[in-house]
Amino acid sequence: MKFKNTNISQGINILANDHYVAIPYNCSEIADKNGVIPAGTIIPANDATAIGVLLNDVAKDENPNGTIVIHGFIDKSKLPVAPDEAVNIPMIKFM
């Protein structure tokens, strides 16, 4: 059995405060960069289809399951890409 060593940084805290609701999400269909989807990625896309924001980095090769925030306050300055104007997640406030 071969093992692959993937380095993932501690990540960033995208939350503006500690009150949020998150749910599990299968990220296998989300585009990645070098096998890692960074925390703060708008899921499933940065457009009107958005349903949440990825809470932590996800290494798809190891485990494509992640956690998305569906309710809370997000610090948009910490996101890898600013939310598009079309993003409308009713229970998320970008600050």
Side-chain angles (χ1 to χ4, degrees), residues 14 25 27 37-43 52-58 66-69 79:
I14 63 164
Y25 189 83
C27 297
I37 305 168
T41 300
I42 297 173
I43 302 294
V53 181
L54 194 61
L55 184 59
N56 297 304
D57 292 347
V58 172
T67 303
I68 60 171
V69 177
L79 300 181

Side-chain angles (χ1 to χ4, degrees), residues 2-86:
K2 280 190 154 183
F3 291 97
K4 180 179 176 186
N5 186 8
T6 304
N7 292 324
I8 297 178
S9 65
Q10 178 62 28
I12 56 171
N13 182 5
I14 63 164
L15 301 170
N17 65 29
D18 61 353
H19 298 285
Y20 66 96
V21 175
I23 60 171
Y25 189 83
N26 182 342
C27 297
S28 59
E29 299 297 319
I30 306 298
D32 60 75
K33 184 176 182 180
N34 299 323
V36 176
I37 305 168
T41 300
I42 297 173
I43 302 294
N46 192 2
D47 57 23
T49 64
I51 60 170
V53 181
L54 194 61
L55 184 59
N56 297 304
D57 292 347
V58 172
K60 282 176 45 175
D61 291 345
E62 294 176 16
N63 183 356
N65 296 313
T67 303
I68 60 171
V69 177
I70 59 169
H71 177 80
F73 297 91
I74 304 292
D75 184 347
K76 69 179 175 183
S77 69
K78 295 183 180 177
L79 300 181
V81 177
D84 188 84
E85 289 183 15

